[in-house]
Amino acid sequence: MSSAASSRPKSVPRGRVDKRKAILDAAFTVFARRGYAQACVQEIAEEAGVAKPTVYSHLSDKETLFRHAVEAALDALLEEKLTVIGRLRARAPDEDPHAALTDLAHGLARICCGEPARALRRLTYAQAAQFPDLAETTQERTVHRPRAALADRLARLSLAGALRPCDPEQAAEHFFALLTGPLESRSLLGTRRVPAAELRGTAEAAVDTFLRAYAGDRQLSQTTAEGDRPDGS
Amino acid sequence: MSSAASSRPKSVPRGRVDKRKAILDAAFTVFARRGYAQACVQEIAEEAGVAKPTVYSHLSDKETLFRHAVEAALDALLEEKLTVIGRLRARAPDEDPHAALTDLAHGLARICCGEPARALRRLTYAQAAQFPDLAETTQERTVHRPRAALADRLARLSLAGALRPCDPEQAAEHFFALLTGPLESRSLLGTRRVPAAELRGTAEAAVDTFLRAYAGDRQLSQTTAEGDRPDGS
DNA sequence: ACGCTGCTGAACTCATGCGTTCATTCTAGA
DNA sequence: TCTAGAATGAACGCATGAGTTCAGCAGCGT
């Protein structure tokens, strides 16, 4: 997303390129950098390697620009998360869930701490009051849908006896909470880049606690023994 | 905080009042309502029942105004949280931790879903890029200090055998995560007012899961039996 | 009664930035 | 090669709002 635009395509051959996409990418980059109010359309145009009137010919408004840019970024992020969650499907349902969940947690942690996700969180929080419908879309795409997808997977694990009988929606919610809550505080509201080691430690701690609370009888003793050192961060 | 200013003291007797406090309260109210960039000093002055030059005579800048208003709100919020956490101290350390933690969770949930806390989260997220030091102060006051305070209490519970041996800092972190994560998603990024019933249910679910993961051997069977219905929200 | 101090309100300057206009230039396609 | 449509860039009008100025006014101590 921002990686493509951050190389400042100043010298696009001026002819036919996919200007619209370039503009939306640039818009997200600049909004992420400055925030909605502080971002000016001129800078977006420059970032996209395009003239200001061109921007207005594609997207009528600064607000429209913002909405489309944010929604595109949301979609990309959702897809990433669903892919990582979907990897659970490939696992044998009766395998030890510890390894599978650790992989999952680590994958999700990497996504949540990536620049796009952090920027998106800042932007949607900031404009939650001004564009309440966007806040709703955001929750839907970044929280509810991934949670539902995870709940499906956890339900299967539960049936297979790897997790105790429980409400899978709530289990998924708690899984995400244990993972993203600590990450949130470690990234200083998305301000700071979380080092990979911390990220891994946080993910493991989350899985540990999650399994202590949700592991099925079959797994309990094993898990409890394994995660007994206090911490490591 | 905002309750004093929300009654629009349009007709202050013009003479000596604590203008400065009125201004800071009004500033927080207006910033919370509009966001930093959209808030205008004129509106803050009106909300405080004061003329615009008076505002500038007390606080030199819009930025200064913002910082002082936010920090005052942060302090108030921190004190509230510490008070609620401090109530754990009064409990007998060998008593069943379930009741104590539920009280705590419920108290914290009420604070975190209150208008000041939600507004504060929106504001600091929004301006995290522009005023990074404020983001740090915010984390310190709203996360680290309360977590440290809770960790102290949990350490005592652990020593008393009510919780299993564990890193109290991490236990506290997970406790907060299990509580505030779900609350966050239920309040739609602070946009929506969470109904009391949901709030209570979330708090109980958080304590449930927390105790399943952290209860000491003495408590394990009891807790596990008690929280066995899937959910309730 | 007098003047000092702090507040008022209205008007002002100035910077910023949205959205638009227009004459010009480029590219694609016939 | 010629033409239509898209893109350019530079300038413009206009609104908004930060921060300031200033003449007047209320209260208060003396």
Side-chain angles (χ1 to χ4, degrees):
Chain A
M1 170 70 22
S2 63
S3 58
S6 63
S7 58
R8 300 271 173 119
K10 260 281 161 55
S11 59
V12 272
R14 245 210 182 169
R16 300 245 134 259
V17 225
D18 203 355
K19 306 255 171 181
R20 189 187 163 97
K21 182 170 178 354
I23 291 171
L24 285 178
D25 286 357
F28 183 74
T29 305
V30 174
F31 282 133
R33 189 156 60 217
R34 303 253 187 261
Y36 178 73
Q38 283 70 38
C40 68
V41 177
Q42 180 63 46
E43 186 177 355
I44 292 173
E46 281 164 17
E47 179 83 28
V50 137
K52 192 163 63 139
T54 307
V55 173
Y56 281 103
S57 83
H58 284 265
L59 288 309
S60 57
D61 242 14
K62 189 185 182 183
E63 183 179 329
T64 309
L65 199 51
F66 183 71
R67 302 189 106 100
H68 282 81
V70 165
E71 281 184 13
L74 280 177
D75 286 341
L77 209 65
L78 172 60
E79 201 173 346
E80 272 193 89
K81 287 190 183 178
L82 291 184
T83 301
V84 173
I85 294 168
R87 286 210 285 263
L88 274 189
R89 207 183 311 255
R91 303 253 180 175
D94 56 346
E95 136 188 18
D96 166 29
H98 191 277
L101 289 181
T102 300
D103 275 5
L104 173 67
H106 197 239
L108 288 174
R110 275 225 320 281
I111 296 173
C112 291
C113 287
E115 178 50 26
R118 297 201 329 264
L120 222 30
R121 234 175 7 256
R122 269 184 279 125
L123 288 175
T124 48
Y125 259 108
Q127 304 304 318
Q130 211 174 346
F131 310 134
D133 56 303
L134 238 189
E136 218 160 322
T137 309
T138 300
Q139 275 315 82
E140 174 69 21
R141 301 270 228 293
T142 66
V143 178
H144 295 149
R145 300 262 299 265
R147 184 206 296 161
L150 179 57
D152 284 352
R153 300 294 93 212
L154 295 185
R156 306 303 282 266
L157 291 177
S158 195
L159 273 183
L163 298 187
R164 67 170 171 87
C166 63
D167 173 17
E169 280 285 333
Q170 183 179 284
E173 184 167 44
H174 281 173
F175 183 86
F176 276 117
L178 286 169
L179 181 64
T180 59
L183 284 180
E184 197 67 352
S185 93
R186 278 178 174 65
S187 76
L188 280 180
L189 305 163
T191 300
R192 173 176 167 263
R193 183 174 227 89
V194 182
E198 241 174 84
L199 203 139
R200 185 171 283 279
T202 305
E204 276 164 15
V207 172
D208 239 59
T209 297
F210 178 80
L211 280 180
R212 279 178 189 276
Y214 284 98
D217 297 345
R218 230 186 53 213
Q219 310 284 343
L220 243 182
S221 54
Q222 168 191 353
T223 309
T224 311
E226 166 174 350
D228 230 350
R229 75 279 182 225
D231 191 6
S233 70
Chain B
M1 168 73 18
S2 62
S3 58
S6 63
S7 58
R8 302 270 173 118
K10 262 280 163 54
S11 58
V12 272
R14 246 206 180 171
R16 300 246 132 258
V17 224
D18 202 357
K19 305 254 171 182
R20 187 186 165 99
K21 181 169 178 355
I23 291 172
L24 286 178
D25 285 357
F28 183 73
T29 304
V30 174
F31 282 132
R33 187 155 62 217
R34 302 252 188 263
Y36 178 72
Q38 283 69 37
C40 69
V41 177
Q42 180 64 45
E43 186 177 355
I44 293 173
E46 280 165 17
E47 179 82 27
V50 137
K52 191 160 65 135
T54 307
V55 172
Y56 281 103
S57 83
H58 284 265
L59 287 308
S60 56
D61 242 14
K62 190 185 182 183
E63 182 178 331
T64 310
L65 198 51
F66 182 72
R67 303 189 107 99
H68 281 82
V70 165
E71 280 184 14
L74 280 177
D75 286 341
L77 209 64
L78 172 61
E79 202 174 343
E80 271 192 90
K81 286 190 183 177
L82 291 183
T83 301
V84 173
I85 295 168
R87 286 210 286 262
L88 273 188
R89 207 183 311 257
R91 304 254 179 176
D94 56 347
E95 137 187 18
D96 166 30
H98 190 277
L101 289 182
T102 301
D103 275 4
L104 172 66
H106 197 239
L108 288 175
R110 274 224 321 281
I111 296 173
C112 291
C113 287
E115 178 50 27
R118 297 202 329 263
L120 222 30
R121 232 170 15 250
R122 268 184 280 126
L123 288 174
T124 48
Y125 260 108
Q127 305 304 318
Q130 210 175 348
F131 310 134
D133 56 302
L134 237 189
E136 219 160 322
T137 310
T138 300
Q139 275 315 80
E140 173 69 21
R141 302 272 228 290
T142 66
V143 178
H144 296 148
R145 300 262 299 265
R147 183 207 296 160
L150 178 57
D152 283 351
R153 300 294 94 212
L154 295 184
R156 305 304 282 266
L157 290 177
S158 195
L159 272 184
L163 298 186
R164 67 172 172 85
C166 62
D167 173 17
E169 281 284 333
Q170 183 180 286
E173 186 168 42
H174 282 173
F175 184 86
F176 276 118
L178 287 169
L179 182 63
T180 59
L183 284 179
E184 198 67 352
S185 93
R186 278 179 174 65
S187 76
L188 280 181
L189 305 163
T191 300
R192 173 175 166 265
R193 184 173 226 88
V194 182
E198 241 175 84
L199 204 140
R200 183 172 285 279
T202 306
E204 276 165 15
V207 171
D208 239 59
T209 296
F210 178 80
L211 280 181
R212 278 179 189 276
Y214 285 99
D217 298 343
R218 229 186 54 214
Q219 310 284 343
L220 243 185
S221 54
Q222 167 190 355
T223 309
T224 311
E226 165 173 351
D228 230 347
R229 75 284 181 217
D231 191 8
S233 69

